[in-house]
Amino acid sequence: KIYRLDDDTVMSHESLHAARYAAGAVVKAVEMVMKGEAFNVFCAVRPPGHHAQTDKAGGFCLINNVAVGAMHAIANFRLQRIAVIDFDVHHGDGTAEIFKNDPRILFLNSFGQGLYPFPETGSAPAPNSVDIAFAPHTGSRVFRKTVREQWLPRLQAFKPELVLLSAGFDAHKQDETGHLNLHEADFAWLTHKIIQSAESAKGRVVSVLEGGYTLESLAASAAAHLYVLAGLGKPECAVKYDRHLKRGSKENPKEQKQK
């Protein structure tokens, strides 16, 4: 049987079982990096989690996997500074609700304007949050410049003991659910910058899959992200794409107007 929780979220009799395994994978990953058993971890799990709030599911999400991992780190390892970074194309409203005004959590959140869950524009985020709302058709240059200016200084100043990533790859230009113009190389760049700016975490990074609904771009983006997480340097796609950016190739005309 199929049980409809809202317009987007349904359950079968095995859905909660799968969701518990997804959250459990993040708990295991936190254990591994905190005990020095792994050099960063990527959790390839579904269902995703960042729309699930304290007391309700939503947006395909049943349990907020990243929030479970963060609370496990706080409860079992007594951490006081955890950075949660959400680069899914959709606003991480569940994570924002769970950790609102929690000084132990720095929540860096980016999303495309005009997309589910349609957050209110103009409202100030919680003091422990930095929201970046990207206009439709935003591409690599604007994305990277904004991250450099708004996220990285705040992340470095926070000095996290652990970094948790809500790794959504639906901001890729080929993804059918979003309307941003990112390239898989942008996810490699972002991963490198996060690790570089969060040296205080001593390599303790747990990445958790969120969105990504076009298989080709999801695979390419996740592979680029994993390449950097594994400490292998810059993937070939990033080397080629960075040359493209340095040559000053024109981006989408709509993005040029935004600049």
Side-chain angles (χ1 to χ4, degrees):
K1 291 184 178 180
I2 299 297
Y3 304 89
R4 183 166 292 279
L5 304 182
D6 59 28
D7 290 342
D8 299 297
T9 312
V10 298
M11 290 180 64
S12 71
H13 67 288
E14 290 292 341
S15 295
L16 190 57
H17 186 68
R20 285 171 172 159
Y21 268 109
V26 182
V27 169
K28 178 65 174 178
V30 168
E31 292 272 344
M32 292 175 70
V33 298
M34 291 305 302
K35 294 178 180 178
E37 298 172 356
F39 176 74
N40 303 335
V41 177
F42 179 69
C43 300
V45 297
R46 289 283 170 87
H50 72 150
H51 295 306
Q53 300 186 16
T54 303
D55 58 356
K56 67 177 182 179
F60 311 153
C61 304
L62 302 180
I63 298 173
N64 195 308
N65 305 316
V66 162
V68 170
M71 294 310 298
H72 180 75
I74 290 170
N76 290 273
F77 296 96
R78 302 295 187 264
L79 299 191
Q80 293 300 309
R81 296 185 310 279
I82 299 174
V84 177
I85 304 174
D86 188 330
F87 52 86
D88 190 278
V89 80
H90 302 98
H91 186 286
D93 57 322
T95 309
E97 183 268 336
I98 292 170
F99 292 124
K100 184 178 182 179
N101 298 323
D102 189 333
R104 302 169 298 186
I105 304 294
L106 173 64
F107 183 44
L108 306 179
N109 179 36
S110 68
F111 52 93
Q113 296 175 4
L115 297 175
Y116 178 91
F118 311 106
E120 295 182 10
T121 57
S123 58
N128 65 321
S129 299
V130 179
D131 287 348
I132 300 175
F134 287 112
H137 312 295
T138 294
S140 301
R141 290 186 178 88
V142 170
F143 173 79
R144 296 186 185 197
K145 181 176 185 293
T146 308
V147 167
R148 282 194 195 98
E149 294 175 351
Q150 298 190 29
W151 273 8
L152 300 184
R154 185 74 179 270
L155 177 61
Q156 192 169 23
F158 185 66
K159 299 187 185 303
E161 301 165 285
L162 172 68
V163 177
L164 294 170
L165 305 178
S166 276
F169 300 108
D170 40 6
H172 193 283
K173 59 186 177 181
Q174 294 179 354
D175 196 282
E176 59 192 16
T177 66
H179 54 207
L180 300 188
N181 285 338
L182 300 191
H183 186 276
E184 54 265 26
D186 292 314
F187 298 110
W189 175 88
L190 178 61
T191 307
H192 170 70
K193 289 300 181 182
I194 289 171
I195 294 173
Q196 187 180 56
S197 300
E199 287 184 320
S200 56
K202 300 177 181 178
R204 294 189 289 260
V205 178
V206 173
S207 178
V208 185
L209 181 62
E210 297 284 0
Y213 305 99
T214 300
L215 294 182
E216 182 179 351
S217 60
L218 171 60
S221 301
H225 175 61
L226 274 166
Y227 197 92
V228 179
L229 274 181
L232 299 176
K234 183 183 289 190
E236 184 62 24
C237 69
V239 173
K240 293 179 179 179
Y241 191 68
D242 285 353
R243 289 178 190 150
H244 161 78
L245 293 179
K246 288 178 181 178
R247 285 197 301 266
S249 299
K250 292 182 180 180
E251 293 185 346
N252 188 297
K254 292 182 179 179
E255 185 186 356
Q256 292 293 325
K257 290 180 181 179
Q258 291 170 20
K259 294 181 183 179

